[in-house]
Amino acid sequence: MGTCHCSRCRKAGASAIVFVKKDTLNWIKGKDNVQAFVPEAPYKYPRCFCKTCGTSLGEILSEEDSFPISANAFDDELPIKNGFHEHVNEKPSWYEICDPKDPSAKG
């Protein structure tokens, strides 16, 4: 789990992300309800959301081996803590990173 501070993630309301391995994702239902927004260059990763409720889902339709999903999309508590920050140079000045510093954290 980490926090992406890029403008795209912040605007999607999905800056807290959890990386999921594709082979561990088990769709039960609702995949047909996911819509992807495909950005213009230089951005390359489509951002997904639920067509019914608008929940940001990160890159849940990705064909990559591992991809980010918005941490806020999970109903249950996650047994992990924030471990990194990326694109900190795009972070707004009003936001202060205040989670405990992890020696393995990026950024």
Side-chain angles (χ1 to χ4, degrees):
M1 172 186 260
T3 303
C4 180
H5 298 281
C6 82
S7 62
R8 290 190 67 223
C9 283
R10 286 187 287 115
K11 287 181 177 150
S15 59
I17 54 178
V18 177
F19 278 85
V20 175
K21 292 181 180 177
K22 181 181 176 185
D23 61 356
T24 66
L25 180 65
N26 182 24
W27 284 93
I28 297 170
K29 64 180 180 177
K31 187 173 182 179
D32 57 333
N33 229 19
V34 176
Q35 178 72 44
F37 171 77
V38 181
E40 293 183 17
Y43 301 105
K44 61 182 181 178
Y45 300 110
R47 301 297 167 95
C48 300
F49 60 94
C50 174
K51 292 189 289 188
T52 301
C53 69
T55 297
S56 180
L57 300 170
E59 298 171 25
I60 200 165
L61 296 178
S62 175
E63 293 298 322
E64 300 292 325
D65 291 337
S66 176
F67 49 84
I69 295 177
S70 172
N72 296 321
F74 292 90
D75 290 332
D76 298 326
E77 288 289 325
L78 298 173
I80 54 179
K81 300 266 186 215
N82 202 59
F84 67 91
H85 291 266
E86 62 184 7
H87 301 289
V88 175
N89 60 325
E90 293 186 44
K91 176 185 77 58
S93 62
W94 51 261
Y95 182 82
E96 182 178 340
I97 296 173
C98 57
D99 48 322
K101 185 66 176 163
D102 178 341
S104 66
K106 298 184 219 173

